[in-house]
Amino acid sequence: MECTETSDGLSRMYKVKVPASELKARLEARIEEIRPQMRLKGFRPGKVPASHVRKMFGQSLMGEVVEAVMKESSEKAITDAEIRPASQPDMHMESDMEKVIEGTEDLAYHMHVDIMPDFEPADMSGITIKKPVAEVDDAQLEETLGQVAENNMKYEPRGKTAKAKDGDAVVIDFVGKMDGEPFEGGAAEGHTLVLGSGSFIPGFEEQLVGLKTGEEKNVEVTFPEQYQAEHLAGKAAVFEVKVNEVRAPKKPDIDEEFAKGLGIESLEELKTMLKTQLQQELDNASRAKAKRHLLDALDEKHDFELPPKMVDMEFDQIWQQLQSEMDAGRVSDEDKEKSEDELKEEYRKIAERRVRLGLVLAEIGRIQEIKISEQEVQQALIREAQRYPGQERQVLEFFQKNENAMAQLRAPIYEDKVVDHLLETVKIDEEKVSRDELLSDDDEE
């Protein structure tokens, strides 16, 4: 194998050539390897001549040989050069592959690879990081208790002459029809519907406001274009509805009985549980802000050349996401006023920051020998699967079969462990703030 190197900053190009004679020798060795196991009609088991194997399967076997040689030779080129690749190499074939497989031409290709920059992480032990902290107060706890009560609203029957109002629950029978004919899944009896909840087709609940117990009404609606049942999407329908009962909402009293109704021993235990949850939310927000200040400090302390391909890939991902936000009309007024060139310049700087910080955290983790356990990965995998109820098995299988997806799952776990290490290294200046100040996003990227 011949290999020559060209360098430009952190970019490297390696030109590799493997003689046809070496490929031929590898092919012959492969044929001899598989010949004893071959079973072909007209030949005794294991006695198929090499010439016949070559004639029947030579091209496909040579294809396997070329693939294996490219993998081995590219890895050897990187090993011999004693470099740390920042990404997978881009391979570019120079030979005529048909002729290579025919055995009449040398295998020649070149590959581009970015290498990791050589830098030493800054000493962060003398850095002071601000960490805003807040504690749950009685007002916040009472507000949350009130929300829990609203989410567990009870409904009591109104009088038979009472008209249904927004927020009431109505017990209804209904039959949905298209062109006068009932359709599958469009009927129910004794169904309880809270008016204004938005749980039915747009326009349905509004037409029941004002009805009384025993009244009937034909409700005319059109199914949304993106409705989950494709045979109904975008179509008009009429629902024949009968109101069996109108019920008024009644917020439950927050007492011992209310707590027990939620499966909790006492009201005090409910308050303790809620306070713990609320404090955890505040603590998470506090850590997130401390992490942001830490990353700002890391960014200020490091300035080195970045692998171009890594920056390009990060920018492409950011830009694609921005385009999606633009298409959905979710772009800030500030960004709307900027030209495309201005936006690209701004978001490329963000991409550069992310790549730089990623490299710094990775290098600190490597030096400190920070590892993530298989148990931590499995816990993250289970949490991810739980986000898709009913599809947990498919999600688990997807990650288990997709190396890149598993790498993306591991990345934030590893980053958090490195950040935790750094937060123990730097000096922390805790500052007590209000809940609203802590949860504000005025310093987010």
Side-chain angles (χ1 to χ4, degrees):
M1 181 188 87
E2 298 176 15
C3 179
T4 58
E5 175 184 338
T6 305
S7 63
D8 179 16
L10 294 180
S11 295
R12 299 287 186 274
M13 185 183 78
Y14 297 93
K15 299 191 74 168
V16 180
K17 180 178 284 189
V18 181
S21 57
E22 184 176 332
L23 297 177
K24 183 178 179 183
R26 292 280 293 264
L27 174 62
E28 296 302 325
R30 178 65 178 142
I31 289 173
E32 288 304 314
E33 180 186 348
I34 66 173
R35 208 161 60 82
Q37 289 82 41
M38 296 197 74
R39 301 289 188 272
L40 291 180
K41 188 176 181 181
F43 298 95
R44 284 182 297 160
K47 299 298 183 181
V48 183
S51 58
H52 189 73
V53 177
R54 192 180 305 109
K55 179 180 178 182
M56 296 291 294
F57 307 106
Q59 286 201 344
S60 62
L61 289 174
M62 181 61 95
E64 292 178 15
V65 167
V66 169
E67 185 177 347
V69 167
M70 286 187 69
K71 183 175 184 297
E72 292 171 16
S73 58
S74 62
E75 289 176 352
K76 186 176 186 304
I78 290 172
T79 302
D80 290 349
E82 297 181 346
I83 61 171
R84 283 197 298 152
S87 57
Q88 289 294 322
D90 285 331
M91 314 285 280
H92 303 274
M93 188 62 62
E94 294 181 358
S95 305
D96 184 328
M97 277 303 293
E98 288 188 10
K99 292 181 179 179
V100 172
I101 291 176
E102 288 171 0
T104 60
E105 187 173 312
D106 295 340
L107 170 65
Y109 68 91
H110 67 269
M111 61 178 180
H112 293 280
V113 59
D114 286 352
I115 64 171
M116 295 289 284
D118 186 15
F119 68 94
E120 184 176 341
D123 180 9
M124 300 296 289
S125 60
I127 300 297
T128 300
I129 298 299
K130 288 185 178 180
K131 183 180 182 181
V133 295
E135 294 183 359
V136 178
D137 56 32
D138 292 341
Q140 185 187 355
L141 181 58
E142 291 302 317
E143 179 186 342
T144 304
L145 275 169
Q147 291 171 351
V148 172
E150 286 183 9
N151 293 336
N152 291 273
M153 195 77 72
K154 294 180 179 179
Y155 292 87
E156 298 180 343
R158 287 186 182 274
K160 290 186 177 181
T161 59
K163 295 181 178 180
K165 299 187 297 184
D166 204 35
D168 284 352
V170 290
V171 182
I172 57 174
D173 300 335
F174 61 86
V175 177
K177 296 182 178 181
M178 286 184 178
D179 299 324
E181 295 294 327
F183 56 86
E184 184 180 355
E189 293 183 355
H191 182 86
T192 300
L193 173 64
V194 177
L195 301 184
S197 64
S199 56
F200 263 38
I201 311 157
F204 187 100
E205 296 168 22
E206 294 87 337
Q207 296 182 56
L208 300 186
V209 173
L211 295 185
K212 295 180 287 188
T213 297
E215 287 191 329
E216 299 181 4
K217 183 173 183 176
N218 288 345
V219 175
E220 299 180 3
V221 294
T222 300
F223 284 91
E225 292 290 343
Q226 303 300 322
Y227 196 64
Q228 60 267 28
E230 293 183 7
H231 67 289
L232 300 176
K235 294 184 178 178
V238 176
F239 284 84
E240 298 172 358
V241 181
K242 180 183 178 182
V243 178
N244 298 321
E245 190 175 43
V246 177
R247 297 175 178 172
K250 182 180 184 300
K251 189 174 179 180
D253 295 328
I254 301 175
D255 51 20
E256 297 292 328
E257 184 180 346
F258 173 69
K260 290 178 179 177
L262 296 175
I264 299 169
E265 288 294 325
S266 65
L267 179 59
E268 190 60 34
E269 186 178 338
L270 173 61
K271 289 182 177 180
T272 300
M273 184 188 304
L274 289 176
K275 188 171 184 178
T276 300
Q277 292 174 350
L278 291 170
Q279 190 61 55
Q280 185 63 53
E281 291 173 6
L282 294 179
D283 291 346
N284 290 340
S286 179
R287 183 191 179 279
K289 291 219 166 177
K291 176 182 176 180
R292 174 58 189 266
H293 296 153
L294 172 67
L295 295 180
D296 287 343
L298 279 173
D299 194 41
E300 289 175 7
K301 286 281 186 179
H302 295 87
D303 183 18
F304 49 83
E305 188 177 0
L306 303 174
K309 186 179 177 183
M310 289 185 76
V311 175
D312 288 342
M313 290 175 64
E314 186 66 35
F315 172 76
D316 289 343
Q317 185 176 344
I318 294 172
W319 190 252
Q320 185 176 6
Q321 184 177 353
L322 178 65
Q323 294 295 104
S324 298
E325 294 293 312
M326 285 181 170
D327 292 342
R330 294 192 296 264
V331 182
S332 67
D333 293 335
E334 185 180 353
D335 277 355
K336 286 178 182 177
E337 295 174 359
K338 296 174 183 174
S339 67
E340 184 172 311
D341 288 342
E342 288 175 322
L343 286 172
K344 284 186 174 180
E345 181 180 358
E346 179 180 328
Y347 283 98
R348 179 163 286 276
K349 287 179 180 178
I350 293 174
E352 290 172 351
R353 171 190 162 94
R354 290 184 182 178
V355 170
R356 181 163 47 252
L357 289 172
L359 292 173
V360 170
L361 291 173
E363 186 65 6
I364 292 172
R366 185 184 72 83
I367 293 170
Q368 298 298 325
E369 298 183 346
I370 293 173
K371 310 288 184 185
I372 55 175
S373 67
E374 193 58 35
Q375 182 181 2
E376 289 171 316
V377 175
Q378 288 303 314
Q379 288 172 347
L381 188 54
I382 290 170
R383 285 195 299 270
E384 184 66 20
Q386 288 173 341
R387 294 177 54 205
Y388 304 91
Q391 303 177 51
E392 290 90 347
R393 180 175 299 227
Q394 294 93 315
V395 173
L396 291 173
E397 289 178 354
F398 168 77
F399 277 94
Q400 288 165 355
K401 295 177 181 178
N402 192 317
E403 191 174 329
N404 287 336
M406 284 299 292
Q408 290 177 356
L409 190 72
R410 288 188 180 95
I413 305 173
Y414 184 78
E415 178 182 300
D416 277 343
K417 293 194 79 167
V418 178
V419 167
D420 285 341
H421 165 78
L422 287 169
L423 289 175
E424 292 175 0
T425 303
V426 301
K427 297 174 182 176
I428 301 294
D429 179 17
E430 290 194 354
E431 177 188 3
K432 288 192 175 182
V433 297
S434 68
R435 172 178 176 270
D436 290 342
E437 287 176 308
L438 179 58
L439 299 180
S440 68
D441 58 358
D442 54 357
D443 63 351
E444 292 299 320
E445 187 173 80

